[in-house]
Amino acid sequence: MNADDVLQLEQPLKEGGIRSVNFFNGRLLTGRDLSREQTARREADWRLGLAAGDGVAFGLEVDRDTQLSKPDAPVLRITGGLAINRKGQVLRLTADTSVALTRRFDVASSDCIFADCAPIAAGRYIGGAGVYVLTVAPAETGEGSAPTNGLDPGNVRCNTDATVEGLRFRLHTVRREEFITLGLGEPWFRNALAYRCFGGDIRPEWLAGLLAAPPRGEGLLDGLRKTTLTEWDVPLALVHVTGAAQVEFIDGWAVRRPLSRTSPGAWEGLVDGRRPAVGEAMFMQFQRQVMEGAPPDGDLRPMTARTHFRWLPPAGVIPVPEEDGGTDAEATRFFSGMTYRGPAFINGARVEGLLRESLSYPPIDTQGTEMVWLYRVRENRMAIDFAGLGPRPGSWLVFASGHLPYRADAQYDLGYYDYANFALAR
């Protein structure tokens, strides 16, 4: 580069700019000109999407469709919602939709004018037991026929009336070696698989070599992005299939992320929004899994942290059964074999702050010796004690990593008789 190539202040830079067609009276327009204008509009929209980050904005929850599913032909129900892929493209599902996993759909050949469709492939998705990642990706198809002037016979082949920018759902096969060592068939398999998707860089060991650390990764998802998962795809759920196309579980929050930008380096990973987004996914994954197994009385038996979870989020909420005699034996049974302290009373005003602060903390190793704080929420306990003959709310506990500051210090100005604590002995 010589001095003449150096950009001057206030000199326009055209490289990478959006080129729109300049319209004026008397200009002759062709179909190519209008296509260029559409391309410019899409590029502007996608740049806004890149600013927001990739992930799920809202909706797109995945569950079994119990009405349409058959023993050998599972069907998923996906709620309406909106997502943005890594290209910045907005994907909108306007209504709840049922998707058959074993249906063969042969994609009709068509010209993908804006190159959205190149990564999409046809084929039978479920061929047996395994783990799959369900994604949503863009799709494009023609609709209707437009009249032509007949002057150019070649135009008849391109007389599609409208190009519909839609979406489609895809399944990506997770290689068996990615999950076979996680305890396939064991109660903790689902949880261990989810944390393989969160990646090992959420644990403190990542900080040991911080000065030369690579960007924080997301484990299994990063591996898929090197093979079949493209930047056009937005992950929605993990699907574990056993036997003859039997869906064992669907875990959305293992792979879905709130809108956030991927960290380009280690330092950004310490302060940007991607790490709290993964923390939110950890919290929601646990809550969904534990509530799926929770009966109305809150007794999670035989589920315990050590038997069903390899890792816990740094803070979470569990339902617990009511018990007489003023003990906490049943309420704390979920943490059997772990080191914990409490439960102590905490005011409800502190719960949301505790959960939000926890999003950037490392997960709890259920097989380790790390201490866990347990809290009863005063408002919940009082509502149960003074319910009288009316309906009683369910009882629940908050747990938090011992790395989080203790939240139940004695506060005489806000304390309630029988719903407060003595200060911890120092």
Side-chain angles (χ1 to χ4, degrees), residues 20 41 46 66 104 169 190 221 228 259 268 278 283 297 299 303-304 306 350 380 398 403 416:
S20 300
R41 188 264 301 173
W46 292 359
T66 56
R104 180 177 177 82
F169 299 99
R190 173 176 172 177
L221 290 177
T228 64
L259 292 180
E268 292 86 351
V278 175
F283 171 77
D297 63 359
D299 188 355
M303 182 186 295
T304 70
R306 281 202 156 186
R350 293 188 169 192
N380 174 245
V398 177
H403 293 294
Y416 287 75

Side-chain angles (χ1 to χ4, degrees), residues 53-56 84-87 119 133-137 170 172-175 178 197 216-236 255-258 260 262 274:
D54 64 286
V56 178
I84 300 177
N85 62 27
R86 289 192 172 187
K87 291 290 189 179
V133 174
L134 176 73
T135 67
V136 61
R170 310 174 69 201
H172 302 262
T173 302
V174 178
R175 293 180 303 169
E178 291 281 356
C197 296
R216 272 182 159 144
E218 294 186 30
L220 189 149
L221 290 177
D222 288 343
L224 275 179
R225 290 197 180 277
K226 296 176 181 178
T227 53
T228 64
L229 191 63
T230 73
E231 293 193 340
W232 303 101
D233 289 280
V234 178
L236 298 182
V255 297
R256 67 183 280 143
R257 302 287 182 266
S260 54
T262 303
R274 188 66 173 188

Side-chain angles (χ1 to χ4, degrees), residues 152-230:
D152 183 358
N155 287 336
V156 177
R157 296 192 302 271
C158 304
N159 69 333
T160 300
D161 180 58
T163 299
V164 181
E165 296 180 55
L167 51 82
R168 67 182 70 182
F169 299 99
R170 310 174 69 201
L171 275 183
H172 302 262
T173 302
V174 178
R175 293 180 303 169
R176 188 174 177 83
E177 53 265 33
E178 291 281 356
F179 60 84
I180 192 62
T181 60
L182 300 180
L184 183 62
E186 299 292 344
W188 61 81
F189 174 67
R190 173 176 172 177
N191 174 259
L193 184 62
Y195 277 79
R196 176 63 62 87
C197 296
F198 297 142
D201 294 343
I202 57 177
R203 298 195 284 275
E205 292 80 5
W206 178 74
L207 296 166
L210 178 62
L211 297 183
R216 272 182 159 144
E218 294 186 30
L220 189 149
L221 290 177
D222 288 343
L224 275 179
R225 290 197 180 277
K226 296 176 181 178
T227 53
T228 64
L229 191 63
T230 73

